[in-house]
Amino acid sequence: PMIDVPFRHIINIVQIARFDPVKMLEIIKRSGYRIEDIDLLKQYSKYAKEWLERFAPPSVRFEVREAVPPEAHEIAQPVKEALFELSKFLMEKELDAEMVHQQVYAIAEKVGVEPKEIFEAIYLLFLGRRSGPRAGWFLVSLDRGFVIKRLTSL
């Protein structure tokens, strides 16, 4: 039995899935990882939950907001345009974390904003704070329809 998902991704997956094993499997498959042993995944998720509760610094803990967080309304107009461009890219392409990450840089240059502003806006929009897990991987982990809807919600 094996699980080829790095533990740091398991930490993010359990938080995105809110510890739901079915949702965790969906995320793992969307992320391009494979898993052969569901019981092993459940065991890893228990370890992840315990680590999050007992040892994780606040910067590692997060919760995907069900609704657009109020903090997201402070995002500047040019950055909103960048998020809209990103949503168009996500509609057209098969999602790959590195491609998404690189596209943020391309869009930043096209729109005339700093990549950091787009990354912060992504976290504000989904988490209600200015930082989070690696953005490309994070967006690929979420349901595509949810991501596109959220990116175009401002």
Side-chain angles (χ1 to χ4, degrees):
M2 74 167 264
I3 182 168
D4 79 344
V5 185
F7 190 69
R8 66 188 165 105
H9 287 329
I10 296 282
I11 294 293
N12 294 332
I13 290 167
V14 297
Q15 293 179 95
I16 292 168
R18 293 189 168 88
F19 302 95
D20 178 328
V22 174
K23 289 182 180 172
M24 288 174 60
L25 266 179
E26 291 170 9
I27 293 166
I28 288 169
K29 287 177 183 172
R30 271 198 303 267
S31 303
Y33 291 107
R34 68 179 202 282
I35 180 149
E36 297 172 0
D37 187 337
I38 303 307
D39 292 330
L40 188 58
L41 176 62
K42 288 178 182 175
Q43 189 63 46
Y44 270 56
S45 68
K46 281 183 196 171
Y47 295 148
K49 184 175 185 184
E50 186 164 326
W51 185 83
L52 282 163
E53 290 171 353
R54 297 179 63 193
F55 306 110
S59 62
V60 174
R61 291 187 216 124
F62 65 85
E63 182 178 345
V64 177
R65 303 284 188 89
E66 294 290 328
V68 175
E71 298 88 344
H73 296 291
E74 68 187 55
I75 297 170
Q77 190 57 42
V79 180
K80 289 178 185 178
E81 291 170 24
L83 295 175
F84 183 74
E85 289 293 319
L86 183 59
S87 75
K88 289 194 313 191
F89 173 78
L90 297 177
M91 281 185 234
E92 298 167 8
K93 304 277 189 219
E94 194 56 40
L95 298 184
D96 168 89
E98 187 58 32
M99 284 172 46
V100 173
H101 188 78
Q102 293 304 318
Q103 190 64 22
V104 168
Y105 285 91
I107 290 170
E109 189 171 321
K110 177 182 175 186
V111 176
V113 298
E114 291 296 319
K116 180 180 186 229
E117 294 176 86
I118 299 173
F119 289 121
E120 285 183 355
I122 289 167
Y123 301 128
L124 283 171
L125 201 52
F126 289 91
L127 305 176
R129 61 187 221 196
R130 294 183 177 280
S131 63
R134 291 194 56 155
W137 187 88
F138 176 65
L139 293 177
V140 168
S141 299
L142 297 168
D143 175 75
R144 183 193 296 237
F146 173 73
V147 170
I148 291 168
K149 185 176 180 187
R150 184 63 61 92
L151 289 173
T152 58
S153 65
L154 295 177

